[in-house]
Amino acid sequence: MLDIKKLNAGYGEMPVLRAIDLTIAQGEVVSVVGSNGAGKSTLLKAISGIIKFTGMVTWNNESLSSLKAHTIVQRGIVHVPEGRKIFPEMTVVENLMMGGFLCKKDQQKNLERVFELFPKLAQRRTQLGGTMSGGEQQMLAIGRGIMGNPKLLLLDEPSLGLSPLFTEVVFGAIRTINTSGVTVLLVEQNVYQSLNISHRGYVIETGRIVLTGTGEELLNNQDVKKAFLGM
Ligand SMILES: Nc1ncnc2c1ncn2[C@@H]1O[C@H](COP(=O)(O)OP(=O)(O)OP(=O)(O)O)[C@@H](O)[C@H]1O
Ligand SMILES: [Mg+2]
């Protein structure tokens, strides 16, 4: 479905990602884990067309290299960025509609889908985004992503800064989203939880993939245990 070969990307003259090979099949949850600054967010930005790259990224056999970010969204790849980036002066519903503006025909259906996934957003539909708690803002950011009718959802650190309870809610929602047929590429600091819900994962270290395997294989890997799980 998504096929990445020898991808290089960076900022200006500074290279960040080097020769990344990564594939995602339809229906999978795939995690990318790695320490701060390893290049995880950069990878998502390259896939969603926010930054340029060299190498090959194809999506259902179509190259993404020359497509603009909004066209990539229309192809079904939706990026929920790190730090949520919701619109603080807009209400919950207005924020959600911003995610749905490229996909007007399914807006009502997708709104119902979001409210079913996060009933709290339905209760707070007229509250300003900026006055929501951190966890609620994360639900809103994921909900806004769903409004774009994703086939592939790119999630950048959805559990960052959340309490254990909200973390559970967010990981539960990711499972539900995946079960409903959406493929997920998940970038997380919460290595245990994220590998636990993933079919496969990749470990990235200073811009290179150093390890890949099923979620279970990576959870049982000695290097992963030592580096990320404090064991
Ligand atoms: N807009 C930018 N301009 C210049 N350098 C950047 C920019 N964004 C990120 N970088 C650099 O690229 C490298 C990779 O950053 P990236 O955000 O992809 O890491 P990350 O793995 O997502 O880290 P974290 O876990 O802290 O979110 C870092 O060295 C970072 O300083
Ligand atoms: Mg990041």
Side-chain angles (χ1 to χ4, degrees):
M1 195 179 196
L2 187 80
D3 193 8
I4 300 180
K5 283 208 178 77
K6 297 210 168 9
L7 175 139
N8 295 285
Y11 302 93
E13 295 294 287
M14 190 183 72
V16 174
L17 298 175
R18 299 154 207 263
I20 299 284
D21 288 339
L22 181 148
T23 58
I24 306 175
Q26 178 154 10
E28 280 191 309
V29 178
V30 172
S31 282
V32 173
V33 301
S35 21
N36 292 124
K40 305 180 297 296
S41 299
T42 304
L43 175 63
L44 298 192
K45 287 189 240 175
I47 297 169
S48 61
I50 298 169
I51 62 165
K52 288 202 158 41
F53 60 85
T54 62
M56 193 194 85
V57 180
T58 56
W59 165 246
N60 295 326
N61 302 317
E62 178 187 24
S63 168
L64 296 185
S65 346
S66 56
L67 298 188
K68 296 252 186 311
H70 68 268
T71 311
I72 293 176
V73 175
Q74 285 168 328
R75 293 288 193 274
I77 300 181
V78 176
H79 185 171
V80 178
E82 191 176 346
R84 293 136 205 178
K85 312 254 184 340
I86 59 139
F87 304 103
E89 302 298 333
M90 291 184 173
T91 66
V92 165
V93 167
E94 286 164 350
N95 265 280
L96 291 172
M97 289 305 175
M98 290 303 285
F101 88 110
L102 286 174
C103 181
K104 293 229 162 56
K105 74 174 169 60
D106 292 323
Q107 243 170 19
Q108 204 50 44
K109 191 187 82 197
N110 285 333
L111 194 62
E112 281 160 25
R113 197 171 156 205
V114 170
F115 286 159
E116 201 175 307
L117 196 61
F118 300 118
K120 193 153 203 179
L121 295 182
Q123 295 159 14
R124 305 294 184 88
R125 54 181 92 204
T126 58
Q127 187 174 336
L128 292 183
T131 65
M132 306 279 278
S133 77
E136 292 162 356
Q137 289 190 20
Q138 185 59 63
M139 293 178 189
L140 184 53
I142 296 173
R144 192 179 53 189
I146 299 295
M147 292 297 291
N149 221 8
K151 296 192 178 84
L152 172 64
L153 190 61
L154 311 176
L155 293 173
D156 198 346
E157 312 247 10
S159 81
L160 189 65
L162 302 191
S163 70
L165 187 68
F166 269 91
T167 302
E168 285 303 322
V169 171
V170 163
F171 278 100
I174 296 170
R175 264 187 209 271
T176 307
I177 291 166
N178 177 245
T179 312
S180 77
V182 179
T183 306
V184 177
L185 178 58
L186 175 62
V187 161
E188 262 293 338
Q189 304 262 344
N190 196 329
V191 174
Y192 177 75
Q193 296 253 37
S194 93
L195 290 177
N196 203 28
I197 68 161
S198 293
H199 300 96
R200 291 185 305 111
Y202 292 84
V203 179
I204 183 169
E205 216 175 87
T206 54
R208 289 178 200 277
I209 304 278
V210 293
L211 198 61
T212 179
T214 65
E216 197 179 344
E217 281 163 0
L218 292 180
L219 279 174
N220 290 316
N221 179 282
Q222 288 306 323
D223 294 333
V224 172
K225 282 186 179 174
K226 216 157 70 192
F228 302 113
L229 302 173
M231 296 178 188

